[in-house]
């Protein structure tokens, strides 16, 4: 079974702190994604990566950056956390295989910025 | 730009009923359509994936269909159980595992 793990289930940080969210997948998938999920707004794509050291902006990249130094690991960085970044953050991965793929999700990280 | 909608937003049914959840997408040039389940405070669990060349997929009591020309997919749940209570999301997939667009979800409650 594909396994996507996220470093924390719950995280509380203060305004202005630098925050790192880590995601690891064990299925050698090329694609990895970071989403945030908010009530009434659904899932919104922040960034995705289709290869090591490659990244593409999603719909809401402002205030975030990402790092992919190894194929299995994709990190989301909040350079200076703000209260409007309080949200559920979901990581996902999928193979890079035309139309024959599924997207697999981690358990999520509930981030609260105070 | 692809937009995905789901109807109804919420649904409450008695245990044992068969039910249908609807998903609509505006751009028919999709590579696949995936259905997920999400329990409160948790991540998404993949239920079914329908590739663009397929018309339907089945897994146990679940059956998902895809009609690209009309921009619709349905998830049929047979003989619903209280354990089926969750939010169900559909996502339209672009080429090479990228450009997933999610619907807002349908919150299902199955009453014992």
């Amino acid at each position: 079974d594909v396994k996507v793990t996220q470093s924390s289930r719950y995280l509380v940080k203060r305004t202005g702190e630098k925050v790192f969210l880590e995601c690891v997948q064990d299925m050698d998938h090329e694609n990895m994604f970071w989403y945030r999920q908010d009530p009434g707004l659904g899932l919104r794509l922040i960034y995705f990566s289709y290869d090591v050291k490659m990244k593409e902006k999603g719909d809401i990249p402002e205030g975030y950056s990402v790092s992919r130094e190894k194929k299995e690991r994709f990190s989301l960085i909040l350079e200076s956390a703000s209260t409007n970044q309080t949200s559920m953050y979901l990581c996902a991965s999928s193979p890079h295989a035309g139309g024959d793929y599924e997207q697999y999700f981690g358990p999520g990280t509930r981030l609260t910025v105070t | 730009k692809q937009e995905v909608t789901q109807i109804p937003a919420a649904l409450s049914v008695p245990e044992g009923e068969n039910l249908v959840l609807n998903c609509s997408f505006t751009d028919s040039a999709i590579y696949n359509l995936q259905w997920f389940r999400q329990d409160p405070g948790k991540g998404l669990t993949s239920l079914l994936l329908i590739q663009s060349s397929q018309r339907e997929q089945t897994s146990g009591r679940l059956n998902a269909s895809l009609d690209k020309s009309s921009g619709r997919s349905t998830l049929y749940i047979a003989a619903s159980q209280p354990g089926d209570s969750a939010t169900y999301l559909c996502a339209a997939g672009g080429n090479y595992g990228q450009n997933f667009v999610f619907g807002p979800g349908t919150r299902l409650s199955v009453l014992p």
Side-chain angles (χ1 to χ4, degrees):
Chain A
D1 275 355
V2 176
K3 198 159 191 181
V4 180
T5 57
Q6 295 184 228
S7 50
S8 305
R9 291 284 284 122
Y10 300 95
L11 209 52
V12 180
K13 295 291 182 181
R14 297 200 174 193
T15 301
E17 279 194 78
K18 191 168 186 176
V19 181
F20 293 86
L21 302 183
E22 301 279 327
C23 176
V24 177
Q25 51 94 4
D26 66 358
M27 281 300 291
D28 201 36
H29 285 171
E30 290 81 6
N31 299 326
M32 296 189 74
F33 307 80
W34 275 108
Y35 296 90
R36 64 178 282 177
Q37 186 177 32
D38 301 287
L41 296 175
L43 267 85
R44 293 180 291 168
L45 181 65
I46 304 171
Y47 269 97
F48 73 93
S49 169
Y50 53 90
D51 202 351
V52 175
K53 298 192 186 294
M54 306 303 288
K55 60 185 179 184
E56 293 283 344
K57 292 180 180 179
D59 298 321
I60 51 163
E62 297 78 18
Y64 303 94
S65 62
V66 291
S67 172
R68 193 164 180 203
E69 296 297 319
K70 293 185 177 181
K71 192 175 186 180
E72 67 271 17
R73 188 180 298 271
F74 192 34
S75 302
L76 180 70
I77 304 154
L78 286 66
E79 297 290 344
S80 177
S82 64
T83 55
N84 63 13
Q85 292 179 310
T86 291
S87 186
M88 170 71 106
Y89 289 87
L90 293 165
C91 174
S93 72
S94 76
H96 186 83
D100 184 15
Y101 56 85
E102 283 185 61
Q103 200 172 50
Y104 298 88
F105 279 80
T109 295
R110 173 75 65 183
L111 173 67
T112 301
V113 182
T114 61
Chain B
K1 183 183 175 185
Q2 179 76 274
E3 291 183 7
V4 180
T5 55
Q6 291 185 247
I7 294 173
L11 182 63
S12 185
V13 299
E15 182 176 4
E17 269 202 14
N18 302 326
L19 57 99
V20 175
L21 307 181
N22 297 291
C23 172
S24 297
F25 46 93
T26 54
D27 185 351
S28 62
I30 62 170
Y31 277 74
N32 63 33
L33 194 293
Q34 194 170 358
W35 282 92
F36 296 89
R37 169 191 173 130
Q38 186 176 31
D39 294 293
K42 302 285 180 64
L44 277 66
T45 300
S46 179
L47 296 174
L48 288 165
L49 170 75
I50 313 173
Q51 295 178 42
S52 62
S53 59
Q54 299 174 322
R55 296 300 296 266
E56 65 179 88
Q57 282 286 335
T58 298
S59 176
R61 295 182 292 108
L62 305 180
N63 175 275
S65 67
L66 175 64
D67 184 344
K68 280 182 60 178
S69 61
S70 67
R72 291 183 180 180
S73 176
T74 61
L75 179 67
Y76 175 83
I77 302 177
S80 59
Q81 302 171 357
D84 294 331
S85 298
T87 296
Y88 291 80
L89 296 96
C90 65
N95 193 12
Y96 291 101
Q98 300 162 17
N99 303 322
F100 281 93
V101 179
F102 284 81
T106 293
R107 188 166 64 229
L108 173 65
S109 296
V110 181
L111 307 175

